[in-house]
Amino acid sequence: MASPINVAVLGATSETGRSVVKGLINSTEPHYNITALTRPSSVNKPTLLDFQKQGVKIVAVDLDGPETKIVEALTGIDVVISAIHAGHLMDQIPLANACKAAGVGRFVPCCFSTVTPRGVLNLQDLKNSVLDHIKKVDIPYTVIDVGWWYQSTLPRLPSGRTDYIASPSEPCIVGDGNVSFALTDLGDIGLYTARIVGDPRTLNQSVFAYAEVKNQNEIYLTIEELSGEKATRKLLPAEVVTSTIADLVAQNPPQGTPDFFKLAVFQYWNTWGIRGDNQPENAKHLGYLLADELYPGLKGRPFTEYCKEVLEGKAHQVYKDVTFF
Ligand SMILES: NC(=O)c1ccc[n+]([C@@H]2O[C@H](COP(=O)([O-])OP(=O)(O)OC[C@H]3O[C@@H](n4cnc5c(N)ncnc54)[C@H](OP(=O)(O)O)[C@@H]3O)[C@@H](O)[C@H]2O)c1
């Protein structure tokens, strides 16, 4: 059996980070020694205390502080995975510099996004600028993208049974709803990540992992069949998406502001719901390796299983108490 891999996860308390840490904990081949890097103000978050009980080491790190302290936290770490808040992506620059100084063997920057070419999604372009920095300072890296979360797809139903998991940006059908896009259960991101970061073939590569490809009309029909109810259809015409993006781009909202996130949501709708970028064939065209080709036996949870869990009232509610815009 190979020796364990020392992995550190920044943003272990995020929606994505929690899935990543669970995936690493559950992985036996390879086996991971896990450190959660957290802001000093977050060390007592219940999620971290729970991870600690499962053997995860908790280390406070201030990315605005001295680099020597960050390097100290990363010494002996083989792999760093970042799942940082989307409004603070540039905090990964000091993290990357510290990875270089500490001799980290692989940096996985915070991507975990849809397949999107440059120039379509400002958030993605920021992520790409972090990746450019990683390449400039010459750290081995792996990009992991995962498609659109199942957790952001379901409409409201007249009974209100899906209201508790409704997206903070309010569910709607983008354009005609006939554009297919790749989907993944948030809970499976860790499953894929644990396999990808232990695989030498994925070093200095981008990997796209997804479970299913569907369009919005198919998604609405699925939940209608399973619930026996007619879903509420709020339509968002393509022209409204395009003009809202143009208005917001002209305003150039600062990172982390409500309009920054509003622009991100409309640009996401545009890329996967109108342009059709978020598809496995396009991922290959853009140079990604596909997880289902690298790991034929590794399957994410089917979308219908997620829908059933939602209808039973047992699904995880993402971004509880967060207002997007
Ligand atoms: N594919 C999709 O459908 C999809 C959907 C949503 C998000 N995403 C992507 O997933 C990635 C991670 O996002 P997420 O939504 O999972 O993260 P999140 O839940 O917003 O959590 C962010 C984490 O970042 C850490 N953090 C560090 N500095 C912070 C700061 N100044 N303010 C707030 N938090 C800070 C916090 O951890 P500590 O408190 O422990 O420091 C926090 O738990 C992003 O790249 C996002 O674009 C993808």
Side-chain angles (χ1 to χ4, degrees):
M1 195 167 155
S3 46
I5 297 173
N6 296 323
V7 59
V9 181
L10 179 88
T13 57
S14 68
E15 294 292 345
T16 305
R18 285 200 300 269
S19 177
V20 167
V21 172
K22 285 178 195 164
L24 295 168
I25 289 172
N26 291 334
S27 172
T28 48
E29 194 52 54
H31 175 68
Y32 293 100
N33 291 329
I34 308 158
T35 299
L37 303 174
T38 189
R39 288 170 297 169
S41 57
S42 297
V43 284
N44 289 321
K45 279 187 176 178
T47 304
L48 292 177
L49 299 177
D50 185 46
F51 283 150
Q52 199 169 29
K53 283 184 204 144
Q54 297 176 73
V56 175
K57 186 176 166 198
I58 312 300
V59 173
V61 159
D62 178 7
L63 294 178
D64 295 327
E67 187 182 301
T68 48
K69 289 274 177 202
I70 312 172
V71 174
E72 206 176 288
L74 297 179
T75 301
I77 297 290
D78 304 308
V79 179
V80 170
I81 302 172
S82 167
I84 198 170
H85 188 274
H88 299 272
L89 293 167
M90 287 305 156
D91 289 2
Q92 294 176 106
I93 300 296
L95 180 66
N97 294 341
C99 283
K100 176 70 181 175
V104 167
R106 184 191 306 239
F107 184 37
V108 180
C110 187
C111 294
F112 302 106
S113 185
T114 55
V115 175
T116 312
R118 284 176 192 257
V120 175
L121 173 62
N122 289 20
L123 195 58
Q124 192 79 4
D125 291 344
L126 278 174
K127 291 175 178 179
N128 282 323
S129 67
V130 173
L131 183 60
D132 288 343
H133 181 80
I134 291 165
K135 290 177 180 173
K136 190 173 76 186
V137 295
D138 192 18
I139 317 162
Y141 68 91
T142 302
V143 166
I144 302 176
D145 281 318
V146 296
W148 197 239
W149 295 351
Y150 288 175
Q151 281 71 11
S152 309
T153 57
L154 290 182
R156 293 183 190 274
L157 296 173
S159 65
R161 278 196 285 170
T162 58
D163 286 356
Y164 76 105
I165 51 88
S167 162
S169 49
E170 201 48 43
C172 59
I173 292 189
V174 182
D176 62 11
N178 285 326
V179 174
S180 294
F181 54 101
L183 290 155
T184 294
D185 191 319
L186 170 62
D188 285 333
I189 292 178
L191 177 79
Y192 294 122
T193 301
R195 187 67 79 90
I196 293 165
V197 302
D199 182 347
R201 295 174 298 170
T202 62
L203 206 57
N204 300 324
Q205 301 287 343
S206 297
V207 184
F208 185 55
Y210 68 99
E212 301 212 14
V213 176
K214 286 188 179 296
N215 68 40
Q216 283 195 286
N217 291 321
E218 290 165 344
I219 287 169
Y220 277 49
L221 282 177
T222 302
I223 195 75
E224 286 178 338
E225 277 169 22
L226 291 169
S227 66
E229 296 188 52
K230 185 84 185 152
T232 307
R233 282 172 170 70
K234 183 184 156 204
L235 303 180
L236 183 64
E239 312 79 70
V240 176
V241 174
T242 312
S243 63
T244 307
I245 290 172
D247 288 349
L248 286 163
V249 166
Q251 290 167 31
N252 192 20
Q255 284 172 48
T257 59
D259 275 351
F260 171 86
F261 288 111
K262 181 172 180 179
L263 176 59
V265 169
F266 275 80
Q267 288 184 322
Y268 264 126
W269 282 333
N270 180 43
T271 179
W272 61 249
I274 296 169
R275 289 176 45 92
D277 294 320
N278 180 34
Q279 307 203 29
E281 314 80 68
N282 193 38
K284 282 190 109 163
H285 169 69
L286 294 176
Y288 286 83
L289 303 175
L290 297 187
D292 59 2
E293 292 181 358
L294 290 169
Y295 320 111
L298 189 68
K299 298 274 177 239
R301 180 161 76 139
F303 183 67
T304 47
E305 273 187 31
Y306 170 68
C307 294
K308 286 178 193 164
E309 186 183 57
V310 169
L311 293 172
E312 286 164 7
K314 295 178 182 163
H316 166 65
Q317 179 192 356
V318 296
Y319 302 124
K320 205 161 174 256
D321 306 325
V322 172
T323 308
F324 270 17
F325 50 81

